[in-house]
Amino acid sequence: MSAALEIGRLVVVVALLCAAGALATPKGRLPLALRGVLKTLRRDGAAVSADAPTGADRVPLAKRLLSLVLVLFALLLVLV
């Protein structure tokens, strides 16, 4: 039973981190980790745009703060 709880906790932590990454990424762009995977998987060798977001592309403060809360909650789950 203990192993099942640990696996479940791991799944929840990964899900929280994925949600935080999705929230903190500007609309229309992939999170940083997925951009690296996409670049690796592309056959034509085309580069993935890694430009810094401009003022219009920035993520609202509320979403960034919610993302931070999700990361901190995931950290709490890992440490407990």
Side-chain angles (χ1 to χ4, degrees):
M1 185 67 178
S2 172
L5 286 175
E6 292 296 322
I7 292 172
R9 200 164 76 172
L10 176 69
V11 168
V12 171
V13 167
V14 170
L16 286 171
L17 293 177
C18 288
L23 280 173
T25 303
K27 212 175 221 183
R29 292 186 63 190
L30 288 174
L32 183 60
L34 293 180
R35 279 185 267 160
V37 170
L38 180 65
K39 185 177 178 182
T40 302
L41 294 177
R42 284 209 169 159
R43 292 180 187 262
D44 58 2
V48 177
S49 174
D51 298 333
T54 61
D57 294 343
R58 293 209 48 181
V59 177
L61 180 62
K63 282 189 175 183
R64 289 186 286 161
L65 289 176
L66 181 58
S67 176
L68 177 64
V69 168
L70 290 176
V71 169
L72 292 176
F73 185 61
L75 179 65
L76 179 71
L77 281 176
V78 168
L79 296 177
V80 172

